[in-house]
Amino acid sequence: MKDTIEKIFQDLSQLKAATQKEVEEARIRFLGKKGEITALMEQFRSVAPELKREYGQKLNELKKEALARIEELKAQACQAASSDAPAEDLTMPGDVVPMGSRHPVSIVRQQIVDIFRKFGYDVAEGPEIEDDYHVFEALNFPPNHPAREMQDTFFVSSGHLNPLLLRTHTSSVQVRTMETQPLPIRVVCPGRVFRNEAISARAHCIFHQVEGLYIDKDVTFADLKQAILLFAREMFGPETQIRMRPSYFPFTEPSAEVDVSCNICKGKGCNICKGTGWLEIMGCGMVDPNVLKASGIDPEQYSGFAFGMGVERIAMLKWQVNDLRHYFENDMRFLAQFATATEV
Ligand code: PHE
């Protein structure tokens, strides 16, 4: 028995097994039910009592050695198997992750803001939930002006002197700017506005505006006209013409609506401009002295102009979209068309 134990020790030290299968065969050879070490364990029962201690110790060592050796070979075989596995094919094309794109309203809002930034305007933002004072009163709306009534304005609270409401235009941000910023002021105010309108191809209860305000000494209507002309040419192309029609806003005097020459028919008349050759893009005017006074600016020393446009409307004209509702429906077939339309 002693010799057999020595022999198995030797066999273990020379044992080779390159694959998992060979390792398993080796395990069965030594430690399986009919394995060499298992057989020795059987024989151990009939060993003379005085030798039991010595042989028992040796057998235990042998079993430990066999287990350790097999574990070692197993680890080696595992490593060999994984390094033999075919390497990743690094030339395979990657998975295509579909790219999102910016919403057309965001693209045009950014274009408008970028154009005025180039002219030296800052950007100002303000709250969407506003009070009556900043949306109406400070802008010279007479107390009974129809725009304050429920059909135009979503009220958040009522019953007190200065109710909260969803702003109907971003002119409220201009008031906040006049209240807090030093003169001269040159800002554009992009933002979401809310009006209680029936939703149709041409109207929505939520839309976006960019309004602008310029206040300094000696600002005239000629400055307004030049600023709008330059904007229109940046936005719609260098050939664009503008015209102004007299209009009315409580906060500007005089006031005007601005049309640009139709960039589709080049002024000849088509169904987009309804045969007129002109497209309306914004309202504007010289800031009413009452508005300046309400925000603590002396109208004897300062004058200014303001303008405001709907972003969806500009986007509709730019891309000939015929229904405003497309902008709010999140139809991928519509939105995907603007994936590459990011340049000014
Ligand atoms: N605030 C006006 C509107 O919401 C637009 C406008 C702004 C008109 C500034 C004139 C001057 O329609």
Side-chain angles (χ1 to χ4, degrees):
M1 189 166 182
K2 214 175 174 178
D3 291 348
T4 320
I5 292 176
E6 282 310 316
K7 168 136 199 322
I8 296 178
F9 262 120
Q10 224 175 27
D11 286 355
L12 279 173
S13 68
Q14 288 163 8
L15 186 64
K16 285 203 173 69
T19 64
Q20 302 277 15
K21 195 167 161 254
E22 284 169 11
V23 176
E24 181 57 11
E25 280 165 7
R27 190 191 66 80
I28 292 168
R29 175 180 157 198
F30 293 105
L31 298 163
K33 265 192 189 157
K34 293 179 186 157
E36 294 177 22
I37 297 175
T38 320
L40 281 178
M41 296 291 193
E42 296 286 317
Q43 282 177 35
F44 177 70
R45 290 196 201 152
S46 44
V47 164
E50 65 274 19
L51 294 174
K52 272 221 151 114
R53 206 188 135 122
E54 186 194 340
Y55 280 22
Q57 250 174 14
K58 278 233 173 295
L59 262 179
N60 272 339
E61 270 169 39
L62 181 68
K63 197 171 172 186
K64 252 199 215 156
E65 173 67 19
L67 283 169
R69 185 80 185 119
I70 281 166
E71 274 310 305
E72 191 185 341
L73 289 169
K74 202 175 184 172
Q76 280 171 10
C78 253
Q79 211 174 21
S82 63
S83 61
D84 281 355
E88 294 272 324
D89 181 357
L90 299 179
T91 64
M92 290 245 294
D95 292 338
V96 179
V97 180
M99 274 268 275
S101 59
R102 287 168 68 212
H103 192 280
V105 169
S106 303
I107 296 170
V108 168
R109 184 194 54 205
Q110 196 56 48
Q111 288 177 350
I112 298 168
V113 167
D114 285 348
I115 291 169
F116 282 103
R117 271 224 174 100
K118 276 200 277 189
F119 297 167
Y121 285 67
D122 288 330
V123 178
E125 289 189 352
E128 292 181 345
I129 299 177
E130 260 293 3
D131 54 23
D132 181 277
Y133 176 80
H134 288 93
V135 174
F136 297 129
E137 198 177 323
L139 287 162
N140 198 36
F141 278 78
N144 56 352
H145 194 280
R148 289 174 177 233
E149 285 178 15
M150 291 299 283
Q151 78 264 25
D152 282 324
T153 309
F154 289 112
F155 286 91
V156 174
S157 69
S158 58
H160 55 88
L161 282 175
N162 190 19
L164 290 179
L165 41 88
L166 298 182
R167 66 183 179 194
T168 57
H169 52 184
T170 60
S171 304
S172 51
V173 185
Q174 303 177 353
V175 175
R176 290 187 178 276
T177 308
M178 285 189 283
E179 284 171 351
T180 55
Q181 300 299 310
L183 294 163
I185 288 171
R186 212 164 5 177
V187 285
V188 278
C189 313
R192 205 156 51 146
V193 299
F194 309 83
R195 287 184 197 176
N196 192 1
E197 305 236 20
I199 295 170
S200 71
R202 297 176 60 89
H204 209 286
C205 55
I206 301 174
F207 59 99
H208 299 78
Q209 283 191 324
V210 178
E211 296 216 350
L213 176 71
Y214 178 26
I215 299 176
D216 202 347
K217 292 194 166 134
D218 304 322
V219 177
T220 69
F221 201 92
D223 298 317
L224 168 61
K225 209 170 164 184
Q226 187 64 11
I228 306 271
L229 178 65
L230 290 176
F231 164 75
R233 292 194 167 161
E234 288 276 330
M235 192 75 209
F236 296 105
E239 309 292 310
T240 309
Q241 302 290 327
I242 62 165
R243 75 174 184 187
M244 287 180 160
R245 287 174 287 108
S247 186
Y248 170 78
F249 298 102
F251 35 89
T252 47
E253 184 59 37
S255 306
E257 305 271 0
V258 180
D259 296 342
V260 290
S261 52
C262 179
N263 59 348
I264 295 142
C265 62
K266 307 282 174 238
K268 285 193 204 83
C270 65
N271 61 351
I272 300 285
C273 61
K274 300 207 181 69
T276 64
W278 296 97
L279 299 161
E280 187 189 320
I281 58 159
M282 68 169 94
C284 66
M286 300 306 290
V287 181
D288 193 292
N290 286 341
V291 172
L292 295 175
K293 259 190 255 165
S295 294
I297 298 170
D298 181 0
E300 298 298 326
Q301 287 200 48
Y302 286 92
S303 56
F305 63 71
F307 55 87
M309 66 193 104
V311 178
E312 284 82 357
R313 171 138 186 94
I314 304 280
M316 282 171 92
L317 298 178
K318 206 175 156 66
W319 288 308
Q320 290 132 53
V321 176
N322 58 10
D323 193 323
L324 187 64
R325 287 167 293 194
H326 288 313
Y327 289 120
F328 301 96
E329 282 168 353
N330 284 333
D331 185 330
M332 289 295 289
R333 291 168 301 179
F334 175 71
L335 297 177
Q337 297 176 59
F338 302 93
T340 55
T342 44
E343 80 292 348
V344 173

